[in-house]
Amino acid sequence: MTRSGAAQSGAANPAPGPDRPALSRRSLIRAGAAAAALMLAGCTAEAAGEDPTAGPSATGGSGPTARFTFATAARPVTLDPALASDTESFRVSRQVLEGLVGVDALTSAPVPLLATGWTQSEDRKTYTFELRRDVMFHDGEPFNAEAVRRNFERWYHLPESVRSGGSLMYKSVFRGYSDTPATAVYKSCEVEDEYTVRVELNTPMESFIAALAAPPFAISSPKALAEAGADSLTRELNGRRVSGYGVHPVGTGPFRFVAWNEDTVELAANPGYWGEKGQIGSVVFRTISSPEGRLRALKKGEVDGYDLVTVNDVGDLARNGQRIQQRDPYSVLYLGINQNFPGLDSVLMRQAVAHAIDKPAVLDGLFLNGTKPANQFMPEKLGLTSDSVTGYGYDPEKARELLEEAGYDGRELPFYYPRRVTRSYLPAPEKVYARLSAQLTAAGFNIRPVPVDWSEGYLEKVQGKEDRAFHLLGLAGSYEGGDNFLGTLFGRYTEEFSFNDPEVFTGIEKAARLPEGQDQTDAYHAVSDRISQRVPAVPLAFPISALALSPRVSSYPTSPVLHEVFNRVSLTDR
């Protein structure tokens, strides 16, 4: 998950007409106007080679021809979004694959995409989707109800060998797979006709529609999945075993996959794209791990933009006439605590950690203006923050008292932190670690630094069974819903925290089932309060993230949930 409020917002109902009776929100959710707005786009990049499997341009002519080069801070892990949990994998897959549900550019609310609309049953457990017609996958296969069914069934039946230690978004959203049906929210997906599909859930889930807008639920070509052996780990890439499909995705999006060579991913405009094509004819994602390298490449004109602007970049960008485009905050940075490490199963010791940290001092000068210290894991954007969470003010003396009460014997505590990377929630990992380590040491903790290069499996190490006490990580939201944060982080037992609290698990499950309203808000508040008491991790900040763009870019579709598809980029002639 991309490590990864108010409850889900539905798409608006169409106006009643002579052939369409008025329908309630519960019975029909559509947004034709919103969908049209979502499809309108301007984009750009130099012409890419033709794909023999792609159909002719829907509008005729040569199609988009401009080239757009974007610098990223890390390599993708896989281009199969169903098996991904990192931002850079999703950044690429969003260009190639689309889901049934999209994201409104202004509000981040869910809107129709490959589905033109959907109905919801009175018991809130059955959804019937009407699908867009005359849409083709990049390999020439038709998009239809059977393709949707096969994708849902693939997610549900994912073999354990490819589930990435349980960190996939499917598990956090749908709770279980086919081998654990008692916990699974998903029940079945049935074809009603060529362009109508029905999805049944075992229990209601208010964020179901919003969650379908997240990249892991994009629809892949069933033919490509089968031919590439999508669920068999068959290739070694960048030090990680991935499926064949994970290096050659096939979707319905505005761009098709061309090549992935070490630090470069190349895409080309899909000439048969059903929506607005925009300006961009080819896209190049270029990995530049250092902020200084990304800034230098932008100033030289080697890239058109890059994400994850740091505090040190801002002045230089302004002096050189580059534009900074900021996103609304929708991520959380936290200090993870592994309760399997000796001593950290004591809540007193975890509370000591919370009291030892001076959050404003950690953030000062390292994060963009607007970043706020966090006392819980729900960003303000969701409207679900609780006023009654347990507060842990900076109090080193109190921390030392709690350590003594917990019986801490000075044991060395390995603290993992990433190197050679910038994340939206962590712009300067080494410096943030240094400040936290100094504060914890001053309070009496014996800290041992464990730096790990991000590209050498940092996520796997801190979300697995490594012998660690603490780690730095965060979650960037992928869809509008409280379950995206509390459910992803604490909705079940994970190796990341080794946190096992049935009261929290059932509370999150209850909140996710409730319809949007005060009851659901109260349920999320109760969970946040309980988490603050148990301290499975310490929330540190709700960071502001921003990207830098060259003067050549006149418009870029920034999104708090990172739904930034490049057919909506506009370029000038410069």
Side-chain angles (χ1 to χ4, degrees), residues 103-122:
V103 175
D104 183 87
L106 296 178
T107 67
S108 299
V111 294
L113 191 56
L114 288 179
T116 59
W118 48 85
T119 61
Q120 182 186 44
S121 63
E122 287 298 320

Side-chain angles (χ1 to χ4, degrees), residues 365-452:
L366 299 183
F367 290 77
L368 296 177
N369 288 341
T371 294
K372 296 181 179 180
N375 66 351
Q376 55 197 291
F377 293 89
M378 287 282 210
E380 291 180 354
K381 176 179 171 60
L382 291 171
L384 292 174
T385 52
S386 172
D387 294 330
S388 53
V389 293
T390 301
Y392 297 93
Y394 175 52
D395 190 341
E397 185 58 38
K398 178 67 172 177
R400 283 188 284 270
E401 292 174 4
L402 288 168
L403 282 180
E404 184 176 354
E405 188 178 351
Y408 175 56
D409 59 4
R411 178 191 294 266
E412 195 173 63
L413 301 166
F415 189 153
Y416 281 54
Y417 64 95
R419 296 197 313 165
R420 297 190 174 92
V421 74
T422 310
R423 310 311 302 148
S424 61
Y425 48 77
L426 188 54
E430 294 94 335
K431 293 179 180 178
V432 171
Y433 161 77
R435 292 183 181 181
L436 286 170
S437 176
Q439 292 177 1
L440 291 168
T441 299
F445 293 88
N446 182 11
I447 300 297
R448 175 167 64 86
V450 184
V452 179

Side-chain angles (χ1 to χ4, degrees), residues 94 103 108 215 327 330 381 477-480 484 559-564:
R94 276 185 173 98
V103 175
S108 299
R327 301 183 184 91
Y330 199 56
K381 176 179 171 60
S478 298
Y479 62 89
E480 287 260 345
N484 188 197
S559 164
V561 295
L562 301 180
H563 189 83
E564 298 170 355

Side-chain angles (χ1 to χ4, degrees), residues 150-306:
R150 289 174 66 179
N151 275 264
F152 269 94
E153 288 297 291
R154 181 216 173 190
W155 304 328
Y156 182 53
H157 292 281
L158 272 181
E160 191 171 359
S161 60
V162 298
R163 292 183 196 166
S164 301
S167 63
L168 298 183
M169 188 175 290
Y170 183 89
K171 179 66 180 292
S172 65
V173 171
F174 292 105
R175 311 299 182 197
Y177 296 92
S178 59
D179 55 359
T180 55
T183 63
V185 172
Y186 172 79
K187 182 178 181 180
S188 66
C189 181
E190 304 293 337
V191 172
E192 292 197 348
D193 60 43
E194 187 174 6
Y195 295 107
T196 308
V197 65
R198 185 179 71 255
V199 178
E200 294 191 27
L201 308 179
N202 287 308
T203 60
M205 186 177 73
E206 183 65 12
S207 61
F208 173 64
I209 293 297
L212 290 185
F217 306 117
I219 305 299
S220 295
S221 162
K223 178 183 177 183
L225 289 171
E227 291 182 350
D231 299 333
S232 300
L233 297 176
T234 57
R235 283 192 59 177
E236 188 83 18
L237 184 72
N238 298 332
R240 178 183 172 90
R241 292 178 68 213
V242 297
S243 70
Y245 182 79
V247 295
H248 196 145
V250 180
T252 60
F255 300 95
R256 54 184 175 80
F257 175 81
V258 175
W260 184 4
N261 301 308
E262 288 295 324
D263 291 332
T264 302
V265 178
E266 298 180 42
L267 310 176
N270 171 17
Y273 184 52
W274 60 270
E276 185 71 25
K277 295 180 181 62
Q279 295 174 266
I280 307 296
S282 66
V283 173
V284 175
F285 290 100
R286 179 180 164 194
T287 301
I288 305 175
S289 60
S290 75
E292 298 82 8
R294 294 192 294 275
L295 175 60
R296 189 162 49 248
L298 183 70
K299 289 164 62 177
K300 288 182 176 180
E302 297 172 353
V303 301
D304 297 302
Y306 69 86

Side-chain angles (χ1 to χ4, degrees), residues 49-55 138-139 256:
E50 294 184 2
D51 181 353
T53 65
H138 300 158
D139 59 3
R256 54 184 175 80

Side-chain angles (χ1 to χ4, degrees), residues 119-160:
T119 61
Q120 182 186 44
S121 63
E122 287 298 320
D123 65 3
R124 301 169 49 240
K125 294 195 290 187
T126 301
Y127 293 80
T128 302
F129 294 89
E130 295 181 18
L131 306 181
R132 195 171 297 281
R133 298 166 184 255
D134 301 321
V135 175
M136 304 293 287
F137 289 103
H138 300 158
D139 59 3
E141 292 293 300
F143 166 75
N144 53 30
E146 177 60 18
V148 173
R149 186 193 70 80
R150 289 174 66 179
N151 275 264
F152 269 94
E153 288 297 291
R154 181 216 173 190
W155 304 328
Y156 182 53
H157 292 281
L158 272 181
E160 191 171 359

Side-chain angles (χ1 to χ4, degrees), residues 492-554:
R492 65 198 187 285
Y493 178 89
T494 64
E495 299 291 348
E496 181 178 0
F497 307 111
S498 301
F499 173 61
N500 195 359
D501 189 329
E503 184 175 328
V504 168
F505 300 162
T506 57
I508 291 172
E509 186 176 350
K510 172 188 174 184
R513 288 199 306 262
L514 290 170
E516 179 182 350
Q518 191 60 49
D519 286 347
Q520 187 192 59
T521 299
D522 291 344
Y524 275 124
H525 285 178
V527 173
S528 290
D529 295 349
R530 174 71 176 180
I531 289 170
S532 71
Q533 296 163 12
R534 304 305 298 165
V535 201
V538 178
L540 299 174
F542 295 125
I544 292 287
S545 72
L547 48 87
L549 301 166
S550 77
R552 180 175 179 244
V553 181
S554 60

